[in-house]
């Protein structure tokens, strides 16, 4: 799904990533942990294509399996949703993309979603309009039919309900007046609506109380746990990993991955701290 | 007559005098509107298709009356909206206006708001989105007469420049002869926010659509209270699409 080789990146002329290599196969959740300033957010931004984050060396390849005309999916919902997959056809059309050569919106259309650590406020634009135009822009880029207004609203309301968000909030301007926790929940609602192949979630757990953490964790599992989807979970703490079991845990330190292991590595880090575990 | 019009006159300092001259002989005198006590007027001013458009009104608002204008000023060459407003005791005036233009358009909203009575309230919000070499201007003069105590006047002016050649002029002006008044004004000129652009693009919007959406957000809040707001919103959306 995602293969990163020897990735070097600079921000404002300063080297932040110093040779990150990482392979996230389809169907897996990988956690990236590490101390402040280790380059976790930079990695997320480089993969999503944020301007100002310059790649000086290395590559990132994104392979998505997509059957023409089929939605990536499914983001399973109680009501069944309208999305169907045909078993056995998912591998028909494997496409590899040089992620770093794509514009941010092309990466989104290819199936990448970035959950922001600090979701951005956009006054004057309602959440519904923002997401509908975004989703339809992705669909046009993939040669899929646009969703009708009614169909989109149904999908948006179902995702909001599944994440425990009042659907009235979808009528408000994007993230304006949302609390920190509400913004993170709203990011997951957005993820549910976009239904990506690869989600990079940058400290989605920060600012969440314990109930919100549970529902966000359940949301990640519901939306992204599928054989053809992957998650890169960036976090400081073990606690989100209690709800979203990672298949692999990587420790990022000074812009490189210094250790990798199974889910138990997160517990070890929690006990002993990064200094010890990354030594 | 137009010989008398020069840019030396404060109200015409950024005007397109040649364009003005081309329509001057056919120009109607300012529309005179008298709003009786307790009466309310709401008007939406939509642009026409003319390359040069000038629209002027003198509005006198009697005691406890109100005038509420929603103005979209857009023209390919020159668009000028001129308002002269007088407020008696407890009268209220609001104007929500936008200048939207590209190319070499020159768009201006020029207002004089005269508070002559007690406790008058005026609120003016102007948003400009300018591309190409367009010029957008707001000249807003608020006069508070001797004795017009407890006047509450507010002016808010914001402009977004899309290209290096675009220009915005914002000039709120206050002339106050009373000592118990509140007169606030604020002005800002800026570009699209880079964080908002990246956020929108990360959700799948191509750069042109992301720009259009952010600009729409900047403008549309003006017309939340407009009667039949869809007409002015649609016209504004089309004007934005033409320059974004």
């Amino acid at each position: 799904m995602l293969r990163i080789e020897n990735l070097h990146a600079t921000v404002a002329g300063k080297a932040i990533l110093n040779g990150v290599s990482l392979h996230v196969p389809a169907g897996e959740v990988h956690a990236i942990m590490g101390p402040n300033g280790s380059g976790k957010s930079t990695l997320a931004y480089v993969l999503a294509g944020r301007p100002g984050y310059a790649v000086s060396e290395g590559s990132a390849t994104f392979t998505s399996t997509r059957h023409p005309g089929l939605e990536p999916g499914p983001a399973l919902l109680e009501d069944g949703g309208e999305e169907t997959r045909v078993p056995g056809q998912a591998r028909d059309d494997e496409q590899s993309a040089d992620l770093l050569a794509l514009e941010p919106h092309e990466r989104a259309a290819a199936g990448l979603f970035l959950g922001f650590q600090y979701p951005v406020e956009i006054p004057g634009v309602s959440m519904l309009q923002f997401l509908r135009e975004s989703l339809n822009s992705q669909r046009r880029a993939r040669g899929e039919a646009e969703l009708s207004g009614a169909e989109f609203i149904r999908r948006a309301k179902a995702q909001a309900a599944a994440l425990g968000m009042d659907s009235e909030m979808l009528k408000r301007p994007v993230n304006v007046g949302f609390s920190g926790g509400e913004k993170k929940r709203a990011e997951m609602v957005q993820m549910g609506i976009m239904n990506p192949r690869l989600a990079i979630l940058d400290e989605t757990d920060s600012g969440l109380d314990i109930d919100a953490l549970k529902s966000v964790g359940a949301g990640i599992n519901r939306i992204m746990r599928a054989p053809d989807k992957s998650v890169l979970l960036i976090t400081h703490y073990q606690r989100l990993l209690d709800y979203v079991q990672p298949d692999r845990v990587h420790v990022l330190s000074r812009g490189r991955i210094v250790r990798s292991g199974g889910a138990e590595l997160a517990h070890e880090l929690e006990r002993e701290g990064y200094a010890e575990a990354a030594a | 007559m137009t010989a008398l019009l020069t840019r030396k006159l404060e109200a015409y300092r950024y005007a397109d005098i040649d364009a003005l001259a081309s329509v001057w002989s056919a120009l109607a005198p300012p529309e005179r509107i008298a709003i009786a006590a307790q009466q309310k007027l709401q008007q939406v001013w939509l642009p026409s298709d003319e390359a040069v458009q000038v629209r002027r009104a003198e509005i006198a608002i009697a005691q406890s009356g109100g005038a509420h204008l929603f103005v979209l000023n857009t023209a390919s060459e020159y668009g000028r909206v001129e308002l002269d407003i007088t407020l008696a005791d407890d009268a209220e005036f609001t104007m929500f206006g936008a200048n939207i233009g590209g190319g070499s358009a020159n768009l201006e909203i020029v207002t004089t708001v005269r508070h002559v009575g007690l406790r008058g309230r005026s609120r003016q919000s102007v948003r400009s989105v300018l591309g190409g070499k367009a010029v957008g201007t707001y000249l807003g003069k608020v006069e508070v007469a001797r004795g017009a105590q407890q006047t509450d006047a507010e002016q808010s002016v914001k402009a977004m420049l899309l290209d290096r050649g675009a220009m915005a002029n914002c000039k709120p002006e206050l002339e106050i002869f009373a000592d118990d008044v509140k007169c606030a004004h604020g002005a800002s000129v800026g570009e699209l926010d880079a964080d908002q652009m990246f956020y929108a693009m990360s959700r799948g919007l191509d750069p042109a659509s992301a720009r259009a959406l952010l600009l729409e957000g900047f403008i549309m809040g003006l017309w939340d209270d407009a009667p039949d707001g869809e007409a002015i919103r649609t016209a504004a959306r089309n004007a934005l699409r033409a320059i974004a």
Side-chain angles (χ1 to χ4, degrees):
Chain A
M1 175 70 65
L2 176 66
R3 188 179 286 281
I4 303 171
E5 307 268 14
N6 191 31
L7 188 64
H8 291 251
T10 59
V11 181
K14 196 177 163 212
I16 308 288
L17 299 184
N18 300 302
V20 174
S21 295
L22 180 66
H23 178 219
V24 186
E28 295 194 0
V29 172
H30 286 212
I32 303 245
M33 304 182 75
N36 289 322
S38 57
K40 300 190 298 297
S41 288
T42 297
L43 178 62
Y45 284 142
V46 166
L47 293 174
R50 185 178 187 135
Y53 289 69
V55 173
S56 47
E57 207 182 324
S59 66
T61 312
F62 179 45
T63 308
S64 66
T65 50
R66 183 184 308 288
H67 184 268
L70 279 185
E71 281 280 306
L76 291 171
L77 289 169
E78 292 295 320
D79 71 354
E82 83 285 8
E83 296 169 33
T84 50
R85 285 190 305 152
V86 181
Q89 290 197 352
R91 287 166 188 276
D92 281 7
D93 185 17
E94 260 205 8
Q95 296 180 331
S96 276
D98 172 5
L99 202 55
L100 304 176
L102 300 178
E103 293 290 312
H105 63 287
E106 296 168 332
R107 301 183 198 201
L112 183 145
F113 178 88
L114 173 62
F116 280 61
Q117 184 180 1
Y118 304 108
V120 178
E121 298 182 3
I122 307 182
V125 178
S126 79
M127 206 77 175
L128 278 176
Q129 186 191 5
F130 179 68
L131 293 175
R132 185 178 168 205
E133 290 199 18
S134 298
L135 179 61
N136 280 334
S137 177
Q138 286 193 23
R139 293 177 71 101
R140 278 195 303 276
R142 291 195 292 256
E144 298 167 1
E146 295 187 20
L147 284 192
S148 72
E151 209 176 338
F152 173 77
I153 286 175
R154 199 176 67 80
R155 185 191 279 210
K157 281 188 171 169
Q159 290 297 338
L163 264 306
M165 188 174 110
D166 182 355
S167 61
E168 283 300 302
M169 287 183 76
L170 293 167
K171 295 177 184 165
R172 305 233 303 254
V174 179
N175 292 321
V176 176
F178 291 24
S179 72
E182 285 169 341
K183 284 180 183 171
K184 294 303 179 69
R185 229 186 255 259
E187 289 287 286
M188 295 301 98
V189 172
Q190 294 191 31
M191 183 170 79
I193 292 169
M194 300 301 174
N195 198 12
R197 289 301 178 96
L198 170 65
I200 299 168
L201 304 180
D202 189 5
E203 295 197 25
T204 294
D205 51 344
S206 68
L208 295 180
D209 62 34
I210 199 74
D211 292 338
L213 190 67
K214 265 189 199 170
S215 82
V216 162
I220 296 171
N221 289 326
R222 173 178 56 81
I223 298 162
M224 296 304 296
R225 272 293 186 191
D228 58 350
K229 293 178 169 183
S230 308
V231 178
L232 200 56
L233 210 56
I234 294 172
T235 181
H236 274 291
Y237 305 108
Q238 155 65 27
R239 52 180 206 158
L240 179 60
L241 306 181
D242 289 340
Y243 301 103
V244 185
Q245 276 284 318
D247 297 285
R248 300 283 291 166
V249 174
H250 310 275
V251 180
L252 193 66
S253 176
R254 297 198 190 95
R256 305 176 68 114
I257 287 176
V258 293
R259 240 189 115 180
S260 295
E264 72 287 348
L265 177 55
H267 292 282
E268 187 188 326
L269 291 168
E270 191 85 348
R271 270 196 321 273
E272 299 174 7
Y274 291 117
E276 193 70 23
Chain B
M1 174 63 204
T2 48
L4 299 176
L5 282 181
T6 80
R7 287 187 156 202
K8 285 184 183 146
L9 293 166
E10 186 53 36
Y12 294 89
R13 66 187 287 178
Y14 300 110
D16 182 339
I17 299 292
D18 292 339
L20 208 45
S22 73
V23 297
W24 193 262
S25 57
L27 197 62
E31 189 182 359
R32 287 205 164 75
I33 303 171
I35 297 170
Q38 319 288 340
Q39 297 301 303
K40 298 267 183 267
L41 171 83
Q42 279 197 324
Q43 274 190 0
V44 175
W45 287 19
L46 293 173
S48 71
D49 295 330
E50 301 294 321
V52 178
Q53 302 172 42
V54 179
R55 189 157 176 186
R56 304 181 292 173
E58 293 176 10
I59 305 178
I61 311 170
Q63 189 179 356
S64 300
H68 307 281
L69 300 186
F70 303 90
V71 177
L72 174 60
N73 186 28
T74 176
S76 60
E77 197 178 324
Y78 182 55
R80 181 178 174 94
V81 170
E82 214 176 295
L83 295 168
D84 191 317
I85 313 291
T86 306
L87 291 92
D89 290 357
D90 297 296
E92 185 178 14
F93 169 66
T94 61
M95 190 273 292
F96 293 94
N99 292 316
I100 302 175
S104 56
N106 181 332
L107 304 166
E108 42 188 7
I109 296 177
V110 181
T111 67
T112 302
V113 174
R114 307 169 203 275
H115 284 268
V116 298
L118 294 166
R119 296 174 298 273
R121 295 181 306 282
S122 66
R123 179 171 175 209
Q124 302 177 72
S125 281
V126 174
R127 301 285 177 267
S128 299
V129 177
L130 305 162
K133 292 190 159 84
V135 180
T137 300
Y138 167 76
L139 302 178
K141 189 175 190 179
V142 172
E143 297 178 3
V144 181
R146 204 175 306 275
Q149 302 295 8
Q150 287 161 45
T151 286
D152 186 347
E154 190 186 320
Q155 292 165 283
S156 160
V157 195
K158 290 183 184 170
M160 199 75 90
L161 304 180
L162 304 184
D163 298 301
R164 289 192 68 86
M167 183 164 88
N169 305 301
C170 306
K171 191 171 146 258
E173 189 184 348
L174 299 169
E175 224 175 82
I176 305 174
F177 294 98
D179 56 10
D180 178 18
V181 303
K182 205 167 106 187
C183 293
H185 59 85
S188 72
V189 178
E191 301 166 3
L192 284 175
D193 182 85
D195 288 340
Q196 290 179 346
M197 274 298 285
F198 174 61
Y199 191 63
M201 286 178 69
S202 80
R203 294 300 179 250
L205 288 166
D206 60 80
S209 304
R211 257 158 72 117
L213 193 69
L214 295 181
L215 292 173
E216 219 176 292
F218 176 69
I219 290 290
M220 292 304 166
L222 286 172
W223 297 310
D224 286 344
D225 298 324
D228 184 24
E230 213 36 56
I232 196 165
R233 274 194 284 272
T234 302
R237 204 169 284 135
N238 292 338
L240 286 173
R241 298 250 153 101
I243 60 168

